[in-house]
Amino acid sequence: MRRGIAATALVAALGVTLAACGGSDSGSNGGSKGSGELSGTVTWWDTSTVGSEDKVFKKLAEDFTKKHPKVTVKYVNVPFGEAQNKFKNAAQSGSGAPDVIRSEVAWTPEFADLGYLAPLDGTAALKDQDDFLEQAAASTKYNGKTYAVPQVIDSMGIFYNKKIFKEAGVAVPKTIAELKTVSAAIKEKTGKTGLYLRGDDPYWFLSFLYGEGGDMVDAADKKVTFDDPAGVSAFKTVKDLVDSKAAITDATNGWDNMQAAFKDGKVAMMINGPWAVADTYAGKEFADKANLGIAPVPAGSAGQGAPQGGHNLAVYAGSKNLDASYAFAEYMTSAESQAKVAQELSLLPTRQSSYLQKEVAKNEMIAFFKPVVEKAVERPWIPEGGSLFEPVKVEYTKVLTGQTTPEAGAKAVGDAYRKLLKDWK
């Protein structure tokens, strides 16, 4: 799962069909009518990272067809940055939408509000529903109904290169002030830059906003809070990290630049999540996996905070094969499937029982991120939740590149929110 609201488009593995012997690719309704045996085609849009995560999820889909040989799963990898609008366009037109989509948690209430998702309450998709972590299940509900199944849950931490830290003789920073001091020491002792600060994606900004005690909105009171003093302070914090040279940033292609800089040992730290572990291990600096350290995101003036993220599996309301789609969503989010994903990719399961399985319990990265996730700041599960990021993206980049001030940037975001959220204060 390549996390990022403005992720660079990936090369899509479009139209790859996973069919077991005797499977049908007819696109007919199929389902369990008549014989009770599932059949027909299920088209699945996967938004995970090409080259690492997609291989694991594609293999899981293949395993589903072994259990249901009359079902064909048409696997399509859709770049994360394109999937939200692509699904809405297809669903609105009534043509080309998948049966199942891997939905970022903020998209689920939006798609449900638009009427594009099938309610899952009482279906096979929600087998053992009480097993899901409470905070993971929260993002799947809208207006009293359940519209998705939680697949993975995540948050963010600071990744650091233990070898560089040892060479510089520094400890992992616990606060923003310590981050600046540590970065200065790393530069002096090793010539390396302390932190890569992703500047093209607003999701990476949230930890700084929460660290100053702020939030995007107060959904309970229908109030915009981004332009409160905490939002201004958060913008000042990230700008100061760049101006002081504690961090470097880019306004475009941030994911690739960040990963390359960290994996090649050009920077000592980056802020990232469990979705980045598999790709990070592929870097030359982490051929010895023990060289990768992960710690909580350094705290701001109000404390430490990181956003709750993750992905759900949702079923398209217009699917012609609902029965098989429900079964597919259940299989891909089962405790066994989640354990396989955890073992291969270090992604955190959403089922409590998965954490009891040996391959999950012994995973060092999951052991670190689980308590981080439990304390993560829950995002607003409102239909407009996914749209809250674009105004931040624009102003965040402008602040970092000196095109606007923190005060003006925060005000611009607040103004944009009040236009988007009608009748909000």
Side-chain angles (χ1 to χ4, degrees), residues 18 42 44 46 48 53-65 67 73 75 100 102 125 132 149-152 311-313 324-341 349-351 354:
L18 307 173
V42 173
W44 176 41
D46 176 29
S48 65
E53 293 180 335
D54 63 321
K55 298 176 182 177
V56 175
F57 289 119
K58 187 177 177 182
K59 176 62 169 59
L60 272 182
E62 290 174 339
D63 292 342
F64 175 79
T65 64
K67 291 175 66 72
V73 177
Y75 175 91
V100 180
R102 188 171 189 256
F132 289 114
V149 192
Q151 184 193 33
V152 295
H311 283 81
N312 303 322
L313 291 188
S325 297
Y326 296 150
F328 179 74
E330 184 279 321
Y331 177 81
M332 295 296 287
T333 58
S334 67
E336 293 74 16
S337 294
Q338 290 193 12
K340 290 178 182 177
V341 171
T350 60
R351 287 189 177 275
S354 295

Side-chain angles (χ1 to χ4, degrees), residues 24 61 66 93 126 128 135 189 222 319 361 374 396 421:
S24 168
K66 293 176 183 176
S93 69
L126 292 180
D128 300 325
Q135 69 267 43
K189 299 288 182 60
K222 290 191 173 183
S319 169
E374 290 170 350
Y396 179 41
L421 302 166

Side-chain angles (χ1 to χ4, degrees), residues 3-61:
R3 226 9 212 114
I5 304 304
T8 303
L10 302 171
V11 178
L14 296 174
V16 178
T17 300
L18 307 173
C21 295
S24 168
D25 194 24
S26 64
S28 61
N29 288 353
S32 59
K33 298 178 179 63
S35 67
E37 185 176 7
L38 294 175
S39 62
T41 299
V42 173
T43 298
W44 176 41
W45 282 9
D46 176 29
T47 58
S48 65
T49 307
V50 170
S52 56
E53 293 180 335
D54 63 321
K55 298 176 182 177
V56 175
F57 289 119
K58 187 177 177 182
K59 176 62 169 59
L60 272 182

Side-chain angles (χ1 to χ4, degrees), residues 259-287:
Q259 288 296 111
F262 187 67
K263 291 192 294 184
D264 291 343
K266 295 178 180 177
V267 297
M269 295 173 281
M270 67 174 179
I271 294 173
N272 226 321
W275 58 85
V277 172
D279 183 65
T280 300
Y281 279 153
K284 66 179 184 179
E285 284 290 298
F286 305 100

Side-chain angles (χ1 to χ4, degrees), residues 399-423:
V399 168
L400 288 177
T401 54
Q403 298 176 60
T404 191
T405 65
E407 292 82 0
K411 182 179 184 302
V413 174
D415 291 345
Y417 281 4
R418 290 182 181 89
K419 290 180 182 178
L420 173 67
L421 302 166
K422 305 301 181 185
D423 300 322

